[in-house]
Amino acid sequence: MGHEKYQKNDIVTVTIDDIGNDGEGIGKADGYTLFVKDAVIGDTVEARITKCKKNYGYARVEKVITPSSFRVEPKCRLHRQCGGCQIQAMSYERQLKYKQDKVRNHLLRIGGFPAEMIDAVTEPIVGMEEPWHYRNKAQYPVGYDKNGNLITGFYAGRTHDIIANTDCALGVPENKDILEAVLDYMKENNVTAYRETEGTGLVRHVLIRTGFQSGEIMVCVVINGKKLPEEGRLVEKLTGLRLSKKDGNVSDGKETADGRMTHRRVAGISVSVNTEKTNVIMGKEIRVLWGQDRIHDTLGGISFAISPLSFYQVNPVQTEKLYGLALDYAGLTGKETVWDLYCGIGTISLFMAKKAKQVYGVEVIPEAIEDARENARDNGIENVEFYVGKAEEILPAFYGGTVADGISAFDKGKMSLADEQMRHPDVIVVDPPRKGCDEKCLETMIAMRPERIVYVSCDSATLARDLKVLCAGGYELAKVRAVDQFGHSVHVEVIIMMQYCGKEKN
Ligand code: SAH
């Protein structure tokens, strides 16, 4: 059903007075609500309607008539096409307010928390000092443009069409040289790119990860096959790159005028085999072509080794602040037992271990747990143990005192130690992916009844849903703080602390 007055392709004038979940502007034309892509709150725009529903419609900016005071000149000329930066045309200060409001709204509407309570426990969002070139990881799809030219770049919003661009303003400037070297190698050696619809061709993605502290860069080429032709030539190209303006040693890396770090260098080159027809980028198998199989980074004085398959926060500068808050919210004095669920390579676990009596980490990816154990060893941290498996399976297994068969790498011998301390920790930290925690995991957390629960979340909607469950289980919201990890995108990281209050609700 369309609208009685408007139809597709109509041009209307709209004043934007709100921001939607995907960063779009929201305004009314004659009482008809329109979601206007690329409009900034405060703008008056001429918009073209792209889709009409009975009570609301979608539109796109044709012309800005009166720009909002929050409108800024975007740094990237491709930001409107790209799916990555939805709100680059909005001032950074206004972006932060948008994110803070988004968290508040989710806690209010999905979590059911009263506004006064949220406002009483919320601390101001932690913004970035430098909201450009902050990402340490880039995943570039490789393919062809309309004329059949080999390109790499990014997916246009909501599609899998690749727009050529090797110079993303969020990633490190060195990515450009690396991507161009990979394309050169492909052209010179007649290496094909993957064609998603047919499932043919070889190179699918290039993953680049940079250790901001160490300067080490890992390049991983994801291929639809076992092997790249003339692998040695790719290695030659990448190791021959002069990424830094001058060679420096690791500790005196300085920024040059164009944003390059003087000590950055390719430290490892690998391929990942992914022959499945899937949206999942990485294959399960990684083979090193040259150099190291993982890169290093340092956070809060702890050094971490990171393999290509392991999750690692994309914004190391903000991550340090985030983990500092997690430690603060955990309220450790040295006597506590802590579970760190969804622990990845053990980043939060090792932060906590310095101040806790004992930490237990749980993570589903075996390679990440290998990294975590190595990281603990390398840093001489002994009061931490890691388990491979799903949080919703490992935690109940410990709580119930029985270990289900089939939980990989689970040390049954440890069960005699599954004593009161493990079953009743003082603090549980969770940091799940966007979909949030499994119900079984939440139930077990409630049954274990820790004094405090620290929840780190990259999706405030699922966070609010899970907090409602914890609240019904006897916990109250004690602290809320957003940390901007993803400037210019609509995503926001939040950390909260819940305290046991004994007021269970049925
Ligand atoms: N705390 C870590 C990782 C957070 S990302 C850090 O800050 O670096 C979320 C992690 O949860 C990923 O490493 C992912 O592999 C893991 N994960 C996803 N589902 C899981 C599950 N059901 N049980 C345990 N870990 C899971």
Side-chain angles (χ1 to χ4, degrees):
M1 267 291 281
H3 185 254
E4 65 241 15
K5 183 167 163 207
Y6 295 115
Q7 49 185 313
K8 189 173 168 173
N9 285 324
D10 281 357
I11 303 277
V12 291
T13 301
V14 202
T15 297
I16 306 297
D17 51 24
D18 205 352
I19 315 170
N21 264 331
D22 298 320
E24 75 280 22
I26 305 176
K28 285 195 167 76
D30 242 351
Y32 182 56
T33 299
L34 285 169
F35 294 88
V36 188
K37 185 173 155 9
D38 301 319
V40 173
I41 187 166
D43 278 347
T44 297
V45 298
E46 228 171 64
R48 179 185 293 273
I49 296 180
T50 49
K51 197 170 180 182
C52 264
K53 301 243 189 185
K54 192 160 182 283
N55 299 315
Y56 62 93
Y58 297 93
R60 182 172 72 224
V61 173
E62 284 286 302
K63 197 168 113 196
V64 178
I65 302 173
T66 321
S68 159
S69 58
F70 303 118
R71 192 172 260 285
V72 293
E73 188 60 42
K75 196 171 182 119
C76 172
R77 68 194 160 86
L78 295 165
H79 83 282
R80 282 184 70 163
Q81 283 136 280
C82 178
C85 286
Q86 304 89 352
I87 50 176
Q88 225 191 77
M90 192 189 293
S91 73
Y92 186 62
E93 284 307 308
R94 190 62 186 81
Q95 291 183 18
L96 291 179
K97 174 167 162 38
Y98 161 67
K99 293 183 185 191
Q100 177 133 357
D101 291 347
K102 184 174 185 168
V103 172
R104 185 178 187 274
N105 275 333
H106 283 152
L107 291 174
L108 201 65
R109 299 207 185 126
I110 304 172
F113 295 97
E116 316 78 68
M117 176 197 263
I118 301 170
D119 295 340
V121 300
T122 301
E123 298 176 274
I125 183 167
V126 182
M128 289 185 224
E129 269 158 46
E130 175 47 51
W132 302 106
H133 298 299
Y134 60 80
R135 284 186 64 102
N136 59 13
K137 175 179 161 184
Q139 299 180 113
Y140 279 84
V142 182
Y144 298 96
D145 68 9
K146 281 195 215 75
N147 304 320
N149 298 312
L150 187 64
I151 54 168
T152 182
F154 53 81
Y155 292 130
R158 295 180 194 283
T159 74
H160 271 196
D161 298 337
I162 301 172
I163 296 183
N165 181 23
T166 52
D167 205 7
C168 168
L170 304 190
V172 300
E174 289 79 6
N175 289 343
K176 185 170 194 288
D177 307 67
I178 292 168
L179 291 166
E180 282 167 5
V182 173
L183 290 183
D184 282 350
Y185 149 80
M186 288 178 68
K187 285 176 198 155
E188 286 166 21
N189 296 283
N190 297 317
V191 181
T192 54
Y194 185 60
R195 293 185 191 265
E196 210 173 13
T197 38
E198 292 99 43
T200 57
L202 194 56
V203 176
R204 299 172 70 128
H205 274 87
V206 180
L207 168 88
I208 308 171
R209 223 178 212 176
T210 306
F212 277 33
Q213 289 284 332
S214 67
E216 296 172 0
I217 300 177
M218 162 70 71
V219 183
C220 181
V221 182
V222 185
I223 55 175
N224 175 40
K226 283 275 171 221
K227 209 174 165 313
L228 280 170
E230 307 291 345
E231 284 174 345
R233 296 217 179 126
L234 175 66
V235 170
E236 248 167 53
K237 274 232 166 342
L238 289 173
T239 52
L241 285 174
R242 300 285 295 174
L243 293 177
S244 309
K245 286 284 143 82
K246 67 176 170 73
D247 284 324
N249 80 34
V250 174
S251 56
D252 77 348
K254 293 193 187 65
E255 201 167 333
T256 58
D258 62 351
R260 284 154 198 270
M261 298 302 287
T262 53
H263 67 290
R264 287 200 183 139
R265 66 192 188 284
V266 174
I269 305 167
S270 55
V271 290
S272 167
V273 175
N274 183 358
T275 53
E276 317 255 311
K277 272 204 156 188
T278 166
N279 278 339
V280 177
I281 295 178
M282 300 293 285
K284 293 192 178 72
E285 192 191 313
I286 305 263
R287 184 164 50 85
V288 178
L289 298 185
W290 177 87
Q292 299 168 202
D293 63 346
R294 47 190 98 177
I295 56 157
H296 299 86
D297 199 14
T298 308
L299 289 174
I302 305 174
S303 70
F304 294 97
I306 310 149
S307 57
L309 288 175
S310 296
F311 174 89
Y312 185 64
Q313 297 279 0
V314 296
N315 183 336
V317 175
Q318 293 299 95
T319 298
E320 234 170 27
K321 299 181 193 167
L322 178 72
Y323 292 170
L325 279 173
L327 194 57
D328 186 26
Y329 286 6
L332 304 178
T333 63
K335 296 196 198 95
E336 294 78 7
T337 304
V338 181
W339 280 93
D340 176 21
L341 309 178
Y342 311 87
C343 71
I345 62 170
T347 37
I348 296 178
S349 320
L350 298 187
F351 256 64
M352 298 276 163
K354 284 183 155 181
K355 294 248 172 98
K357 180 171 150 212
Q358 178 69 39
V359 178
Y360 304 103
V362 179
E363 159 66 45
V364 76
I365 307 234
E367 285 82 358
I369 287 290
E370 276 172 37
D371 289 352
R373 290 187 178 132
E374 189 178 315
N375 291 333
R377 248 194 329 270
D378 288 351
N379 289 283
I381 297 174
E382 287 176 354
N383 55 337
V384 48
E385 272 170 36
F386 293 103
Y387 302 99
V388 182
K390 291 186 174 161
E392 60 271 26
E393 289 173 5
I394 298 277
L395 204 63
F398 270 104
Y399 184 66
T402 53
V403 181
D405 281 324
I407 293 179
S408 56
F410 198 93
D411 184 357
K412 283 192 176 188
K414 284 271 154 28
M415 283 318 294
S416 54
L417 293 175
D419 54 4
E420 281 307 293
Q421 149 183 316
M422 267 183 131
R423 299 183 70 234
H424 295 292
D426 302 282
V427 180
I428 299 181
V429 183
V430 299
D431 183 6
R434 279 189 207 161
K435 68 174 185 205
C437 293
D438 187 275
E439 244 172 84
K440 184 81 195 156
C441 180
L442 293 171
E443 263 172 39
T444 315
M445 286 163 64
I446 291 168
M448 287 179 146
R449 198 183 282 179
E451 194 57 37
R452 288 176 292 285
I453 295 174
V454 177
Y455 194 136
V456 181
S457 160
C458 54
D459 185 326
S460 50
T462 58
L463 168 75
R465 176 202 69 198
D466 291 352
L467 294 189
K468 193 172 183 179
V469 176
L470 295 174
C471 200
Y475 285 83
E476 66 186 4
L477 197 56
K479 287 201 153 97
V480 177
R481 189 158 203 185
V483 177
D484 190 28
Q485 298 261 53
F486 318 107
H488 310 292
S489 86
V490 293
H491 300 293
V492 59
E493 191 89 9
V494 200
I495 176 163
I496 68 92
M497 195 265 279
M498 287 200 122
Q499 188 109 38
Y500 184 68
C501 67
K503 288 182 229 144
E504 280 90 349
K505 303 178 194 98
N506 293 314

